[in-house]
Amino acid sequence: MDSLVNINWNKVTPCLVLLLLDLVLEFSECTTQAEVNKHLELGRDFLSRGQLSDALTHYHAAVEGDPHNYLTYFKRGTVYYALGKAKFALQDFSKVLDLKPDFTTARVHRAQVYLKLAEYLHAKDDFLQVTYEDPYNSEALTYFHRTDELSEELRLAEAYYRGGDFRSASELATRLLEVSPWSATLRQLRAECYIAMNDLFSAVSDIRAVNRLQQDSTAGYHRLASLLYQLGHVSDALKEVRECLKLDPEHKQCFPLYKKLKKIDKLLLKCEESSEARQYSDCIDSAKSVLAAEKEVTLVVYEGRKWLCSCLAKDEQWTDALKECNSALEIQKEGSVLCDKGDALIGLDMFDDAIRSFKEALDMNEGLQRAKDGMGRAQKLQKQSEQRDYYKILSVKRSATKQEITKAYRKAAQKWHPDNFQGDEKKVAEKKFIDIAAAKEVLTDPEKRAQFDSGVDPLDPEGGRQPFGNNPFNHFQHGSPFQFKFHFN
């Protein structure tokens, strides 16, 4: 006890602290290594099941836990490689070679990344180094000799593009992309060729790929939005320009394009909603606003004229509908527009032309049911036109309500009542009066009206129906059917 009292604690305390720290650090390192091993094990497990994102999460943790272990970087790099994340795979394989320069497998992987990026000179250097370390590596030897050929083809493709030979440039770029699918440069080159050849759909596909490869490209998003707008895909263009504004909310090109696209997209959506709600006048107004806002982009103009054609036809403004349908079809042939044109032609009693329009739609798409139905209706109405048209007799639209039909009947019956005429005029009036009564009978009866609208006259004796003995007034048994008076309110 006395010996403990005599100890100089001022000298002993620092030693004890250092000893304790060493013990803590040693324990901490053991714990960290155990955690690293656990993450590596889980990473391998997820990788074997093809769950690459989950595997990547655990390899991230392993790298953070042991930042000097080249194998953890290599394993994470292989996952990046499998996910097509070239930039990060390249960083990890380079880190591996910094830590262990003689790790040949990592060098082969890095060379392959360079090859897929079309960085052929870097790939050649790595493959050459592999041949020094492993002279029997046939893959490295093959690609080492091929990199010069690929470099020359890339220079030739660029030369074709500069010289205006866009087809040759695009074909050569396509061949190179089979080896170097991660090359944004090659895809951009081919996209420019497609644009020059007016193959905008193919260009859109390549620029989408460029944007995935260059994740922070505002210029790429603006270009893609502009191309989609040129193709008339307004809502898709709006999505892409929004991606641009996420990166730069005040982008000088994307912001004004966004305002324009938002306006056009809203108007086209209004056309669709109004048409579905049968508010055709609103649809017509919105379509006219589209045409007022955009006069240069052909396929956007087409969308505006297409909606005008459709909604004018549904609103039974036949003449204006026919004009807009023809204007739309001058820009682009489409089955739905040809059917709208056919409806307008039927409304104008131009049945032969309507049949031709529906037939053209069927030639484009033989399975288009609307065109089949439209052609059948036009053919029936053509046959019917040689007989009585009850709508014309009463001077009402085909969409007239029962109340409108009854009102028109009263007006016509009062005008053509035979008692108002003498001599030969009375015979004409009698015939007209019979037609007027027949029109009222058919059009105020839902079943008979449906038959007539489908092209069958329910009062036609040849159709198997002979109401009233072929005469709607022969139920009067004595004398002339006109020996009575109508009283109109």
Short mmCIF file of all heavy atoms in Angstrom, two decimals, residues 181-219:
data_model
loop_
_atom_site.label_atom_id
_atom_site.label_comp_id
_atom_site.label_asym_id
_atom_site.label_seq_id
_atom_site.Cartn_x
_atom_site.Cartn_y
_atom_site.Cartn_z
N PRO A 181 -19.75 1.01 -77.38
CA PRO A 181 -21.12 1.49 -77.14
C PRO A 181 -21.22 2.59 -76.10
O PRO A 181 -22.27 3.24 -75.98
CB PRO A 181 -21.85 0.23 -76.67
CG PRO A 181 -20.76 -0.62 -76.06
CD PRO A 181 -19.55 -0.36 -76.88
N TRP A 182 -20.14 2.83 -75.31
CA TRP A 182 -20.19 3.86 -74.27
C TRP A 182 -19.61 5.18 -74.74
O TRP A 182 -19.43 6.09 -73.94
CB TRP A 182 -19.43 3.40 -73.02
CG TRP A 182 -20.00 2.20 -72.37
CD1 TRP A 182 -21.22 1.63 -72.61
CD2 TRP A 182 -19.38 1.40 -71.36
NE1 TRP A 182 -21.40 0.53 -71.82
CE2 TRP A 182 -20.29 0.36 -71.03
CE3 TRP A 182 -18.16 1.47 -70.69
CZ2 TRP A 182 -20.01 -0.60 -70.08
CZ3 TRP A 182 -17.88 0.50 -69.72
CH2 TRP A 182 -18.80 -0.52 -69.42
N SER A 183 -19.37 5.30 -76.03
CA SER A 183 -18.74 6.52 -76.53
C SER A 183 -19.78 7.60 -76.83
O SER A 183 -20.55 7.50 -77.80
CB SER A 183 -17.95 6.22 -77.80
OG SER A 183 -17.48 7.42 -78.39
N ALA A 184 -19.81 8.63 -76.01
CA ALA A 184 -20.72 9.76 -76.26
C ALA A 184 -20.33 10.48 -77.55
O ALA A 184 -21.19 10.97 -78.28
CB ALA A 184 -20.67 10.73 -75.08
N THR A 185 -19.03 10.53 -77.85
CA THR A 185 -18.55 11.20 -79.06
C THR A 185 -19.10 10.54 -80.31
O THR A 185 -19.59 11.22 -81.23
CB THR A 185 -17.01 11.19 -79.10
OG1 THR A 185 -16.51 11.84 -77.94
CG2 THR A 185 -16.50 11.90 -80.34
N LEU A 186 -19.04 9.21 -80.36
CA LEU A 186 -19.55 8.48 -81.53
C LEU A 186 -21.06 8.64 -81.68
O LEU A 186 -21.57 8.83 -82.79
CB LEU A 186 -19.19 7.00 -81.42
CG LEU A 186 -17.79 6.60 -81.88
CD1 LEU A 186 -17.51 5.15 -81.51
CD2 LEU A 186 -17.64 6.80 -83.39
N ARG A 187 -21.78 8.56 -80.57
CA ARG A 187 -23.24 8.70 -80.64
C ARG A 187 -23.64 10.11 -81.05
O ARG A 187 -24.60 10.30 -81.80
CB ARG A 187 -23.88 8.31 -79.30
CG ARG A 187 -23.78 6.83 -79.02
CD ARG A 187 -24.74 6.37 -77.94
NE ARG A 187 -24.60 4.93 -77.73
CZ ARG A 187 -25.21 4.00 -78.44
NH1 ARG A 187 -26.00 4.36 -79.44
NH2 ARG A 187 -25.04 2.72 -78.18
N GLN A 188 -22.91 11.10 -80.57
CA GLN A 188 -23.20 12.48 -80.96
C GLN A 188 -22.93 12.68 -82.44
O GLN A 188 -23.71 13.33 -83.15
CB GLN A 188 -22.34 13.44 -80.14
CG GLN A 188 -22.68 14.91 -80.34
CD GLN A 188 -24.05 15.27 -79.77
OE1 GLN A 188 -24.35 14.96 -78.62
NE2 GLN A 188 -24.88 15.91 -80.58
N LEU A 189 -21.83 12.08 -82.93
CA LEU A 189 -21.50 12.17 -84.35
C LEU A 189 -22.60 11.54 -85.19
O LEU A 189 -23.05 12.13 -86.19
CB LEU A 189 -20.16 11.47 -84.61
CG LEU A 189 -19.73 11.35 -86.08
CD1 LEU A 189 -19.46 12.73 -86.67
CD2 LEU A 189 -18.49 10.47 -86.22
N ARG A 190 -23.04 10.36 -84.79
CA ARG A 190 -24.10 9.70 -85.57
C ARG A 190 -25.41 10.46 -85.49
O ARG A 190 -26.15 10.55 -86.48
CB ARG A 190 -24.29 8.26 -85.08
CG ARG A 190 -25.17 7.44 -86.01
CD ARG A 190 -25.18 5.97 -85.67
NE ARG A 190 -25.84 5.70 -84.39
CZ ARG A 190 -26.12 4.47 -83.96
NH1 ARG A 190 -25.79 3.42 -84.68
NH2 ARG A 190 -26.71 4.29 -82.80
N ALA A 191 -25.72 11.04 -84.33
CA ALA A 191 -26.94 11.84 -84.19
C ALA A 191 -26.92 13.03 -85.14
O ALA A 191 -27.93 13.34 -85.79
CB ALA A 191 -27.10 12.33 -82.75
N GLU A 192 -25.77 13.70 -85.24
CA GLU A 192 -25.66 14.84 -86.16
C GLU A 192 -25.85 14.40 -87.60
O GLU A 192 -26.45 15.12 -88.41
CB GLU A 192 -24.30 15.52 -85.99
CG GLU A 192 -24.06 16.12 -84.60
CD GLU A 192 -25.06 17.19 -84.22
OE1 GLU A 192 -25.64 17.81 -85.12
OE2 GLU A 192 -25.29 17.38 -83.02
N CYS A 193 -25.35 13.21 -87.93
CA CYS A 193 -25.55 12.68 -89.28
C CYS A 193 -27.03 12.43 -89.54
O CYS A 193 -27.56 12.77 -90.61
CB CYS A 193 -24.76 11.38 -89.47
SG CYS A 193 -22.97 11.58 -89.49
N TYR A 194 -27.72 11.82 -88.56
CA TYR A 194 -29.15 11.54 -88.72
C TYR A 194 -29.95 12.83 -88.89
O TYR A 194 -30.89 12.90 -89.70
CB TYR A 194 -29.67 10.77 -87.51
CG TYR A 194 -29.29 9.31 -87.47
CD1 TYR A 194 -28.94 8.70 -86.26
CD2 TYR A 194 -29.27 8.54 -88.62
CE1 TYR A 194 -28.59 7.35 -86.21
CE2 TYR A 194 -28.92 7.19 -88.57
CZ TYR A 194 -28.58 6.61 -87.37
OH TYR A 194 -28.24 5.28 -87.32
N ILE A 195 -29.59 13.85 -88.13
CA ILE A 195 -30.28 15.14 -88.25
C ILE A 195 -30.08 15.71 -89.64
O ILE A 195 -31.02 16.21 -90.27
CB ILE A 195 -29.79 16.12 -87.17
CG1 ILE A 195 -30.24 15.65 -85.78
CG2 ILE A 195 -30.30 17.53 -87.43
CD1 ILE A 195 -29.60 16.40 -84.63
N ALA A 196 -28.85 15.62 -90.14
CA ALA A 196 -28.55 16.13 -91.48
C ALA A 196 -29.33 15.37 -92.55
O ALA A 196 -29.70 15.93 -93.58
CB ALA A 196 -27.05 16.03 -91.76
N MET A 197 -29.62 14.07 -92.28
CA MET A 197 -30.39 13.26 -93.23
C MET A 197 -31.89 13.30 -92.94
O MET A 197 -32.66 12.57 -93.54
CB MET A 197 -29.89 11.81 -93.19
CG MET A 197 -28.47 11.64 -93.68
SD MET A 197 -27.97 9.89 -93.82
CE MET A 197 -27.91 9.39 -92.10
N ASN A 198 -32.29 14.14 -91.97
CA ASN A 198 -33.69 14.32 -91.58
C ASN A 198 -34.31 13.04 -91.00
O ASN A 198 -35.51 12.82 -91.09
CB ASN A 198 -34.54 14.82 -92.76
CG ASN A 198 -35.82 15.50 -92.30
OD1 ASN A 198 -35.84 16.15 -91.25
ND2 ASN A 198 -36.89 15.34 -93.05
N ASP A 199 -33.48 12.22 -90.40
CA ASP A 199 -33.96 11.04 -89.68
C ASP A 199 -33.99 11.39 -88.19
O ASP A 199 -33.14 10.95 -87.41
CB ASP A 199 -33.03 9.85 -89.96
CG ASP A 199 -33.54 8.55 -89.33
OD1 ASP A 199 -34.60 8.59 -88.65
OD2 ASP A 199 -32.88 7.51 -89.51
N LEU A 200 -35.00 12.16 -87.81
CA LEU A 200 -35.02 12.73 -86.46
C LEU A 200 -35.29 11.68 -85.39
O LEU A 200 -34.79 11.80 -84.27
CB LEU A 200 -36.06 13.85 -86.38
CG LEU A 200 -35.84 15.05 -87.32
CD1 LEU A 200 -36.84 16.16 -87.00
CD2 LEU A 200 -34.42 15.57 -87.22
N PHE A 201 -36.08 10.65 -85.70
CA PHE A 201 -36.35 9.62 -84.70
C PHE A 201 -35.07 8.91 -84.29
O PHE A 201 -34.83 8.66 -83.10
CB PHE A 201 -37.36 8.60 -85.25
CG PHE A 201 -38.78 9.07 -85.18
CD1 PHE A 201 -39.46 9.47 -86.32
CD2 PHE A 201 -39.46 9.11 -83.97
CE1 PHE A 201 -40.77 9.91 -86.26
CE2 PHE A 201 -40.78 9.54 -83.88
CZ PHE A 201 -41.44 9.95 -85.03
N SER A 202 -34.22 8.58 -85.26
CA SER A 202 -32.95 7.93 -84.94
C SER A 202 -32.04 8.88 -84.17
O SER A 202 -31.33 8.47 -83.24
CB SER A 202 -32.26 7.48 -86.24
OG SER A 202 -33.04 6.51 -86.91
N ALA A 203 -32.08 10.16 -84.53
CA ALA A 203 -31.26 11.15 -83.82
C ALA A 203 -31.68 11.26 -82.36
O ALA A 203 -30.84 11.35 -81.46
CB ALA A 203 -31.38 12.51 -84.51
N VAL A 204 -32.98 11.23 -82.11
CA VAL A 204 -33.50 11.29 -80.73
C VAL A 204 -32.96 10.14 -79.90
O VAL A 204 -32.53 10.32 -78.75
CB VAL A 204 -35.05 11.28 -80.73
CG1 VAL A 204 -35.59 10.92 -79.36
CG2 VAL A 204 -35.58 12.65 -81.16
N SER A 205 -32.95 8.95 -80.48
CA SER A 205 -32.46 7.77 -79.77
C SER A 205 -31.00 7.94 -79.37
O SER A 205 -30.62 7.64 -78.23
CB SER A 205 -32.62 6.53 -80.65
OG SER A 205 -32.10 5.40 -80.01
N ASP A 206 -30.19 8.46 -80.29
CA ASP A 206 -28.76 8.64 -79.98
C ASP A 206 -28.53 9.74 -78.96
O ASP A 206 -27.67 9.61 -78.07
CB ASP A 206 -27.98 8.94 -81.27
CG ASP A 206 -27.48 7.66 -81.93
OD1 ASP A 206 -27.43 6.62 -81.26
OD2 ASP A 206 -27.14 7.70 -83.13
N ILE A 207 -29.27 10.83 -79.06
CA ILE A 207 -29.07 11.93 -78.12
C ILE A 207 -29.54 11.53 -76.72
O ILE A 207 -28.95 11.95 -75.71
CB ILE A 207 -29.76 13.21 -78.61
CG1 ILE A 207 -29.03 13.72 -79.86
CG2 ILE A 207 -29.75 14.29 -77.54
CD1 ILE A 207 -29.60 14.95 -80.48
N ARG A 208 -30.57 10.69 -76.63
CA ARG A 208 -30.96 10.15 -75.31
C ARG A 208 -29.79 9.39 -74.70
O ARG A 208 -29.51 9.51 -73.50
CB ARG A 208 -32.15 9.21 -75.46
CG ARG A 208 -33.51 9.89 -75.61
CD ARG A 208 -34.60 8.86 -75.45
NE ARG A 208 -35.88 9.36 -75.89
CZ ARG A 208 -36.68 10.15 -75.16
NH1 ARG A 208 -36.29 10.53 -73.97
NH2 ARG A 208 -37.84 10.56 -75.64
N ALA A 209 -29.13 8.58 -75.53
CA ALA A 209 -27.98 7.81 -75.04
C ALA A 209 -26.84 8.73 -74.61
O ALA A 209 -26.19 8.50 -73.59
CB ALA A 209 -27.50 6.85 -76.13
N VAL A 210 -26.62 9.80 -75.37
CA VAL A 210 -25.57 10.78 -75.01
C VAL A 210 -25.88 11.40 -73.66
O VAL A 210 -25.00 11.56 -72.81
CB VAL A 210 -25.45 11.87 -76.10
CG1 VAL A 210 -24.54 13.01 -75.62
CG2 VAL A 210 -24.89 11.28 -77.39
N ASN A 211 -27.14 11.73 -73.44
CA ASN A 211 -27.53 12.35 -72.16
C ASN A 211 -27.35 11.39 -70.99
O ASN A 211 -27.04 11.83 -69.87
CB ASN A 211 -28.98 12.82 -72.23
CG ASN A 211 -29.15 14.06 -73.10
OD1 ASN A 211 -28.16 14.66 -73.52
ND2 ASN A 211 -30.36 14.44 -73.39
N ARG A 212 -27.54 10.10 -71.23
CA ARG A 212 -27.30 9.13 -70.16
C ARG A 212 -25.80 9.02 -69.87
O ARG A 212 -25.41 8.85 -68.71
CB ARG A 212 -27.86 7.76 -70.55
CG ARG A 212 -29.37 7.66 -70.47
CD ARG A 212 -29.84 6.22 -70.53
NE ARG A 212 -29.52 5.60 -71.81
CZ ARG A 212 -30.32 5.61 -72.86
NH1 ARG A 212 -31.51 6.21 -72.79
NH2 ARG A 212 -29.97 5.03 -73.98
N LEU A 213 -25.01 9.11 -70.92
CA LEU A 213 -23.56 8.99 -70.75
C LEU A 213 -22.96 10.26 -70.16
O LEU A 213 -21.96 10.23 -69.46
CB LEU A 213 -22.90 8.67 -72.10
CG LEU A 213 -23.25 7.30 -72.68
CD1 LEU A 213 -22.83 7.21 -74.15
CD2 LEU A 213 -22.59 6.19 -71.87
N GLN A 214 -23.58 11.41 -70.48
CA GLN A 214 -23.12 12.70 -69.94
C GLN A 214 -24.25 13.25 -69.08
O GLN A 214 -25.07 14.03 -69.54
CB GLN A 214 -22.79 13.67 -71.09
CG GLN A 214 -21.70 13.18 -72.01
CD GLN A 214 -21.49 14.11 -73.19
OE1 GLN A 214 -22.34 14.91 -73.53
NE2 GLN A 214 -20.34 13.97 -73.84
N GLN A 215 -24.31 12.84 -67.86
CA GLN A 215 -25.49 13.06 -67.02
C GLN A 215 -25.75 14.52 -66.67
O GLN A 215 -26.80 14.86 -66.16
CB GLN A 215 -25.35 12.23 -65.74
CG GLN A 215 -25.30 10.73 -66.02
CD GLN A 215 -25.03 9.92 -64.77
OE1 GLN A 215 -24.73 10.47 -63.72
NE2 GLN A 215 -25.12 8.61 -64.88
N ASP A 216 -24.81 15.40 -66.91
CA ASP A 216 -25.00 16.80 -66.52
C ASP A 216 -24.98 17.73 -67.73
O ASP A 216 -24.52 18.86 -67.65
CB ASP A 216 -23.91 17.22 -65.52
CG ASP A 216 -22.51 17.03 -66.11
OD1 ASP A 216 -22.40 16.38 -67.16
OD2 ASP A 216 -21.54 17.52 -65.51
N SER A 217 -25.51 17.25 -68.86
CA SER A 217 -25.43 18.04 -70.10
C SER A 217 -26.72 18.83 -70.33
O SER A 217 -27.71 18.29 -70.81
CB SER A 217 -25.16 17.11 -71.29
OG SER A 217 -25.23 17.84 -72.49
N THR A 218 -26.71 20.12 -70.01
CA THR A 218 -27.88 20.97 -70.30
C THR A 218 -28.06 21.11 -71.81
O THR A 218 -29.18 21.13 -72.31
CB THR A 218 -27.71 22.36 -69.67
OG1 THR A 218 -26.45 22.92 -70.08
CG2 THR A 218 -27.74 22.29 -68.16
N ALA A 219 -26.93 21.20 -72.53
CA ALA A 219 -27.00 21.32 -73.99
C ALA A 219 -27.68 20.10 -74.59
O ALA A 219 -28.47 20.20 -75.55
CB ALA A 219 -25.61 21.50 -74.57
#
